[in-house]
Amino acid sequence: MFNQGTNNAPSAESVIPYFVLSAISWLVALVFIAFHPNSILSTVYFNEIMLTITHILVLGFVTSVIFGALFQLLPVIFLQKIYSESITKAIFYLLLFGTVGLCSSFYFGGNGIGLTFFGSLLNLAVFLFIINVWKTIGKSKENKVARLFIKTSAVWLSLTTIAGLLLAINFIRPFLPFVHIELLKIHAHFGIIGWFLFLIIGVSSVLIPMFLLVHKPDCRPLYFSYVTLITALILGGVSKLMGVDMLMYLAYGFGGLGIVYFLNFIYVVYKTRPRKKLDYGLKKTMLAFPVLIIVIISGVFFISGFKTDFNLSAFYVIVLIFGFIATLILGQFYKTLPFIVWLKTYKPFVGKEKTLLPKDLYNYTILKFQFYTHVSGFMLFFSGILFQLKVLFFLGISLLIIGAILFLINVMLVVLHKRKVPMTNLSTVNITEMDVYKSLKNVIDPELYVNIVDLGLVYGVKLTKNPLMANVKMTLTSKGCPMGDAIIQDVKETLMRTYSGLQVSVELVWDPGWSMEMVSEEGQRELNGM
């Protein structure tokens, strides 16, 4: 029985709005920054404009795309049906109205009533999100590391939004027994580390090895990362609430150590990857991880009391969000949204006709320009803040805005894509097993762009004449391959379309497991772009 993960996922209509909201929010946040440069360059970090921009980024841009991607990925990586599609749709509207309302309340300087109301909507969205995530994962035994990090990230997200709601209520009726700015810092770090980083580590533990064709990576560094990051968050929270500075030093130490363990996992996977040639989406994804080193260094300077001409804490947050999280998301967008739309548009016709690949749904030239404008824009933006040079700052933000516009264009090209209907013909010639192999070379892996025969996925073909049937014995590059069922369908339909009256059965096996040694010379050349 082959992977049915994508059959368990919610409909594309339930998750696509999350991606569109994310792309629009990214552009809006950058435009806000361009019109309010002092909100970033100022040494006063917690101002109304900065809070507006921060929440557009973390809620509209980051959280939105995470929600949408998770609802599509969870059924695939845990082989469980999505718990509730109705909840998936409800969460989107709560997130949309909550984000717009909360950011408007910050921007127009509203009182705590608006913050409390819209914060309550967001807390409800998070509550429903936790139910959908935990119920979907259930008691799945698949991908234990990812399960641990993703479930934990949902808990930290709830703590983040609860802390935010308490701050809003405190504006109406002050009740906090300590300076509210300390709870604001806890709110920020619970969100960035407990929610974003834990979620990213969990998903990366599955997707990065899968995309780079690394099987059974050593996940022990991730367990160490989990323990140290949990310790860091607890120590940091206690330090702020009780005013014990020594605990904060320990928190930063454990946090930095947890990030190092995670980076070590990514480095080993990247170094041992069989897939040498990376597309621009994967290039951008891999570029995001070294930025965490800058985050660690800036954290060390901050905790040591190092004096700078700029706001070091703001710099730390901006590098983390823009350099790491945004770069990672913009890269992984091309590994999620095109596949979601492709499955919706072409899966019913896979094998029955010649279909496009997911990469054909967007403009690759636009992707390349977006890649270079984002990378160069971030470097200039980063330097402008570091050296307090407005010329570099505006050059950087201008390039980032251009990249965001190009990105939004590609997103809409994917979302609005319509199926192209080709002509099909049936053949009635007598066939041999070699003919079947030749026909199977028309079945292309949607992620690797190499046919399944040259990839070494086809282990054998057996033909019977009465009735006329082809039994194909094959495997997949990964047991959790999100396109597995589509590939199997492509095998069946391609053969039945090519040979009139042929019946096809597919036997999916995992022993022997697939490895790069099974790829043909031609496949190696195509895989590595030679």
Side-chain angles (χ1 to χ4, degrees), residues 244-279:
V244 183
D245 293 337
M246 181 56 67
L247 292 180
M248 184 54 66
Y249 287 99
L250 291 174
Y252 272 92
F254 278 107
L257 188 60
I259 293 174
V260 169
Y261 277 125
F262 170 53
L263 289 178
N264 176 65
F265 169 81
I266 295 296
Y267 171 75
V268 172
V269 169
Y270 182 78
K271 185 178 179 181
T272 58
R273 74 193 190 282
R275 184 180 184 179
K276 301 302 180 183
K277 182 186 178 183
L278 306 183
D279 56 36

Side-chain angles (χ1 to χ4, degrees), residues 305-317:
F306 189 79
K307 300 298 182 182
T308 62
D309 294 330
F310 57 92
N311 191 314
L312 192 55
S313 62
F315 176 79
Y316 153 76
V317 172

Side-chain angles (χ1 to χ4, degrees), residues 363-417:
N363 188 300
Y364 201 72
T365 301
I366 289 179
L367 169 58
K368 288 196 292 185
F369 278 109
Q370 182 224 328
F371 174 84
Y372 290 116
T373 52
H374 176 80
V375 172
S376 57
F378 170 71
M379 292 177 65
L380 290 170
F381 183 68
F382 170 90
S383 301
I385 298 172
L386 186 63
F387 300 111
Q388 293 290 283
L389 293 175
K390 284 195 173 183
V391 173
L392 295 180
F393 176 91
F394 281 112
L395 283 174
I397 198 66
S398 298
L399 287 173
L400 286 172
I401 289 174
I402 292 172
I405 293 172
L406 294 175
F407 176 63
L408 183 58
I409 291 172
N410 252 350
V411 167
M412 298 313 298
L413 285 176
V414 174
V415 170
L416 300 176
H417 177 80

Side-chain angles (χ1 to χ4, degrees), residues 123 157-169 176 183-184 186-188 190:
N123 270 269
L157 173 61
S158 67
L159 294 176
T160 302
T161 53
I162 289 171
L165 185 59
L166 291 177
L167 282 167
I169 296 172
L176 294 176
L183 184 58
L184 186 57
I186 293 174
H187 167 68
F190 278 8

Side-chain angles (χ1 to χ4, degrees), residues 15 31 37 61 92 123 152 160 176 181-182 212 219 249 257 277 283 342 345 369 387 412 450 479 483 498 501 525 529:
V15 295
V31 171
F61 174 47
F92 172 76
N123 270 269
T152 304
T160 302
L176 294 176
I181 198 72
E182 299 303 324
L212 298 181
C219 291
Y249 287 99
L257 188 60
K277 182 186 178 183
K283 284 180 181 178
W342 184 85
T345 308
F369 278 109
F387 300 111
M412 298 313 298
V450 181
K479 193 173 182 180
M483 308 303 292
T498 306
R525 286 193 290 270

Side-chain angles (χ1 to χ4, degrees), residues 426-495:
L426 286 175
S427 172
T428 57
V429 300
N430 293 325
I431 62 171
T432 65
E433 292 177 355
M434 290 305 297
D435 291 326
V436 174
Y437 273 102
K438 184 177 179 180
S439 298
L440 289 176
K441 284 198 172 187
N442 293 313
V443 179
I444 307 298
D445 185 298
E447 164 62 22
L448 301 177
Y449 318 137
V450 181
N451 72 77
I452 63 172
V453 174
D454 283 322
L455 275 177
L457 298 179
V458 180
Y459 287 175
V461 171
K462 184 178 179 181
L463 276 175
T464 59
K465 296 296 184 181
N466 191 19
L468 183 59
M469 175 175 283
N471 177 269
V472 180
K473 186 177 181 180
M474 64 174 294
T475 191
L476 299 171
T477 57
S478 171
K479 193 173 182 180
C481 174
M483 308 303 292
D485 51 350
I487 294 173
I488 300 295
Q489 180 181 332
D490 199 357
V491 169
K492 291 181 176 180
E493 298 290 352
T494 294
L495 294 179

